[in-house]
Every structure is written in C-alpha cells, then in structure tokens.
Amino acid sequence: MDEKTPSTTDASTREARRRNRQHGLVIVNTGNGKGKTTAALGVLFRAWGREYRVRMFQFIKSSTSNYGEHKAAKRLGIRIEPMGDGFTWLSKDLERTAALAVEQWERCREVLRTGTEDIVVLDEFTYAMSYGWVPVADVVQALEKRPPAMHVIVTGRNAPQELIDCADLVTEMQEVKHPYTDQGIKAQPGIEF
Ligand code: ATP
Ligand code: MG
C-alpha cells in the first residue's frame, strides 16, 4: 500500500480514539407523536457507520418480533434485542410482563456498568418505569454512574420527570396528524415496522 494512503486500521483506531473522547449524552425521545423509535434507530445507523459499538434493548415488544429493523440489523451485525410478551394491554399475564421487563433492565444495567457499548438504546423503556416495574431512581443512578463517553437513548411516551431532569437532550414528539387517527390507515411495513 502507498505509504501516504491511510489504512483501514488507522482509520478505525482514529474512530476509536474519537469515540472515547465523546461527551456521553442521556437522550430521551418521548411524547405522543410518531418517530421516537425511528429517531433512535437513525442514531444507531449513523453511529454504526462510524464503527461505534451500538446496541438496542427493546422493552414491551415481543421477543419474536422480526420487523424491518430487526432484519436490517441482522444483516448489518447490529444487536437489537427485543423481549417481553407484546404490548401490556394485550398481555394475559401482567406479572410475567413485569418480570421480563425487570430481567431486560438487569441486562441493560450490566451494559451501563461495564461500558461494553458506545451507544445504548432502551426502547419503550419509559413504560417499565411508569408501570412501576423498574424504579426510576435505580435508572437515574445507573445512568449517572455509567462511563462518561457512553450515550444512552431512552424512548417511550410519558417519560418520568426524574429521567427528564437527568437527561441532556429531551425531545417531545408532538402529533400533528397521524394516518391512523385521521384516516384509519393501519400500520404499514417499512413505515411502522
Ligand atoms: P415509531 O416506532 O414508528 O418511531 P414511536 O416509537 O414514536 O413510533 P410508539 O409509541 O412506540 O411510537 O408507537 C408504536 C406504533 O404506534 C407505531 O407504529 C406508530 O406509528 C404508532 N403510533 C404512534 N403514534 C400514534 C398515534 N397518535 N395514533 C396511532 N398510532 C400511533
Ligand atoms: Mg416506539
């Protein structure tokens, strides 16, 4: 190789150094409008392009979900880990849903503690807190103690105030129009899942 041409190794070493200097953010995507999960996926996609270690933990959604984002992530080698047994209002066994959410949170907490990822998304995690399955104080404590360069994105409606207080970036998606509420158009592949 021409000595002046930077090798891929040099480029990825530079990316690694850069990400270690990051100012890790707590990002919250909340509100009733559409786009909370999509925006988090967009960040993962962008960061993946920079060879960041990215991972998404999904709460609530069924562990058998195989949506477009799961298929794409598999092809790219991005870990998206769903769990749970469907949306709670469909669940026949709320105690089981709660136990699954607590288990999922334990996995997330370990990642926050050990710093094995550069960006972690906790998708639909606000529900685990608002249903009282995971204490908000535990979440805030884990976020505060995480490695300083790690970014964490939490999505879901009704983000608790304590989480908003400890976040660096909070966006509230506001519904102006939604095809389902306005026209009864159901969820479509590629747009919703
Ligand atoms: P997305 O995953 O598409 O980014 P989201 O994460 O912002 O959406 P959620 O609250 O997780 O929204 O809702 C999941 C599903 O509910 C999505 O398919 C979304 O289109 C749909 N949805 C969101 N807002 C509304 C609404 N106001 N009325 C009906 N359906 C909605
Ligand atoms: Mg969502």
Side-chain angles (χ1 to χ4, degrees), residues 141-155:
Q141 193 190 46
L143 288 172
E144 281 169 353
K145 283 207 215 140
R146 80 191 192 286
M150 183 192 269
H151 301 293
V152 181
I153 306 177
V154 177
T155 83

Side-chain angles (χ1 to χ4, degrees), residues 76-88:
L76 297 172
I78 296 176
R79 292 166 81 179
I80 298 187
E81 292 162 54
M83 70 141 323
D85 53 0
F87 282 94
T88 46

Side-chain angles (χ1 to χ4, degrees), residues 36-37 61 123-124 155:
K36 301 174 286 293
T37 302
K61 276 167 195 159
D123 187 40
E124 319 295 354
T155 83

Side-chain angles (χ1 to χ4, degrees), residues 131-142:
Y131 279 90
W133 302 331
V134 172
V136 192
D138 288 8
V139 176
V140 170
Q141 193 190 46

Side-chain angles (χ1 to χ4, degrees), residues 103-157:
E103 257 177 48
Q104 182 78 322
W105 163 240
E106 290 302 330
R107 275 183 220 117
C108 299
R109 181 145 65 180
E110 191 56 14
V111 169
L112 296 188
R113 196 181 65 77
T114 52
T116 48
E117 309 295 331
D118 301 304
I119 304 195
V120 184
V121 179
L122 313 186
D123 187 40
E124 319 295 354
F125 185 45
T126 55
Y127 305 103
M129 291 178 272
S130 54
Y131 279 90
W133 302 331
V134 172
V136 192
D138 288 8
V139 176
V140 170
Q141 193 190 46
L143 288 172
E144 281 169 353
K145 283 207 215 140
R146 80 191 192 286
M150 183 192 269
H151 301 293
V152 181
I153 306 177
V154 177
T155 83
R157 297 176 187 211

Side-chain angles (χ1 to χ4, degrees), residues 29-41 58 61 67 69 87 89 123-124 127 155-157 173-182 185-188 191-193:
N29 296 345
T30 191
N32 291 336
K34 173 178 163 59
K36 301 174 286 293
T37 302
T38 316
L41 285 167
Q58 294 187 303
K61 276 167 195 159
Y67 298 161
E69 56 266 43
F87 282 94
W89 46 94
D123 187 40
E124 319 295 354
Y127 305 103
T155 83
R157 297 176 187 211
M173 305 291 175
Q174 191 194 340
E175 182 184 332
V176 176
K177 273 184 161 186
H178 192 282
Y180 183 72
T181 41
D182 296 306
I185 299 170
K186 293 202 179 120
Q188 302 186 76
I191 300 294
E192 324 275 1
F193 62 91

